[in-house]
Amino acid sequence: NAGVTQTPKFRILKIGQSMTLQCTQDMNHNYMYWYRQDPGMGLKLIYYSVGAGITDKGEVPNGYNVSRSTTEDFPLRLELAAPSQTSVYFCASSYNREAETQYFGPGTRLLVL
Amino acid sequence: GQQLNQSPQSMFIQEGEDVSMNCTSSSIFNTWLWYKQDPGEGPVLLIALYKAGELTSNGRLTAQFGITRKDSFLNISASIPSDVGIYFCAGQLPQGGSEKLVFGKGMKLTVNP
């Protein structure tokens, strides 16, 4: 199993550009999550999904959108990139709601200039 | 939002030394988790704690769930160079599942050979 994979690893965006961060898991997990990690800060939940077709907001959803059309994929969309969205983004998946079952991807580093 | 206070923020130790870190909060948690993050990678779960007072070991790692359910500590004994990384605590709130995880800001550990 590849686990949780994320692409790209690194991206530079100009203010106002849009992009999609890709996340795929091959563990048949129902639950998937997007977090952002700012320097010196704890992970913050952006959006999560409990299954295909079901998504919900986390703590910091503004400026982002998600979709979950399949069990495997959970893309994160930035429509109008802002400098405040400069961060490292982690996707995670789990087979149930218990936190200890979460597996994290390697992260996408995003720089908005 | 909820906050976890993790201390210290960083430590520089010699190989072979022990190191301790802790997390405190004003909130009660049902589960405490400790993660390690290597540079350029996502967090990896080290230890999960489920009951107040619980003491759990994983090799050279020992963690405890505080009696008040508002704190936890992690000890690493006989440190080795590969212990270098950032260590995070996380608490799962009683009223939710993994979408209700609160993360500490992390402790950066440097081990001098």
Side-chain angles (χ1 to χ4, degrees):
Chain A
N1 286 348
V4 180
T5 57
Q6 293 183 238
T7 57
K9 284 192 181 301
F10 176 66
R11 181 79 182 267
I12 299 175
L13 281 183
K14 294 182 180 178
I15 294 172
Q17 285 186 320
S18 62
M19 77 165 293
T20 299
L21 283 68
Q22 302 291 346
C23 175
T24 300
Q25 53 91 10
D26 61 359
M27 297 174 281
N28 202 33
H29 286 172
N30 283 325
Y31 295 78
M32 296 188 74
Y33 316 81
W34 274 106
Y35 294 92
R36 60 177 287 172
Q37 182 181 44
D38 298 324
M41 301 297 291
L43 292 166
K44 300 287 187 185
L45 183 65
I46 305 171
Y47 271 95
Y48 67 100
S49 169
V50 301
I54 307 170
T55 63
D56 208 347
K57 295 178 180 179
E59 185 180 355
V60 290
N62 291 345
Y64 307 95
N65 280 301
V66 292
S67 59
R68 185 92 183 272
S69 56
T70 67
T71 299
E72 295 77 20
D73 301 306
F74 190 40
L76 178 72
R77 179 82 177 162
L78 283 71
E79 291 293 350
L80 290 170
S84 61
Q85 293 178 306
T86 292
S87 191
V88 181
Y89 292 85
F90 289 101
C91 179
S93 72
S94 64
Y95 63 82
N96 61 24
R97 286 185 79 210
E98 298 309 312
E100 69 273 17
T101 67
Q102 277 194 25
Y103 291 86
F104 286 85
T108 293
R109 185 175 296 274
L110 178 65
L111 181 59
V112 182
L113 299 173
Chain B
Q2 305 285 346
Q3 288 198 16
L4 283 182
N5 301 309
Q6 185 171 354
S7 64
Q9 292 183 333
S10 63
M11 285 197 74
F12 297 82
I13 61 174
Q14 294 297 125
E15 184 177 357
E17 289 183 342
D18 299 345
V19 60
S20 293
M21 63 197 84
N22 68 78
C23 281
T24 61
S25 175
S26 58
S27 302
I28 290 174
F29 295 101
N30 275 357
T31 303
W32 279 95
L33 306 170
W34 285 93
Y35 293 88
K36 184 190 178 198
Q37 184 178 15
D38 291 327
E41 301 292 332
V44 174
L45 182 67
L46 298 172
I47 289 181
L49 302 156
Y50 304 99
K51 280 180 12 179
E54 179 182 355
L55 186 71
T56 296
S57 293
N58 178 8
R60 293 179 295 106
L61 306 177
T62 301
Q64 186 159 28
F65 194 138
I67 290 291
T68 65
R69 295 171 62 194
K70 295 181 180 181
D71 63 327
S72 177
F73 75 76
L74 175 71
N75 284 345
I76 304 173
S77 63
S79 60
I80 59 179
S82 61
D83 290 336
V84 165
I86 300 177
Y87 291 81
F88 290 96
C89 62
Q92 183 170 327
L93 292 165
Q95 62 266 40
S98 48
E99 75 279 7
K100 294 294 186 182
L101 266 187
V102 182
F103 287 85
K105 295 181 180 181
M107 190 212 76
K108 185 175 182 180
L109 179 64
T110 303
V111 179
N112 295 318

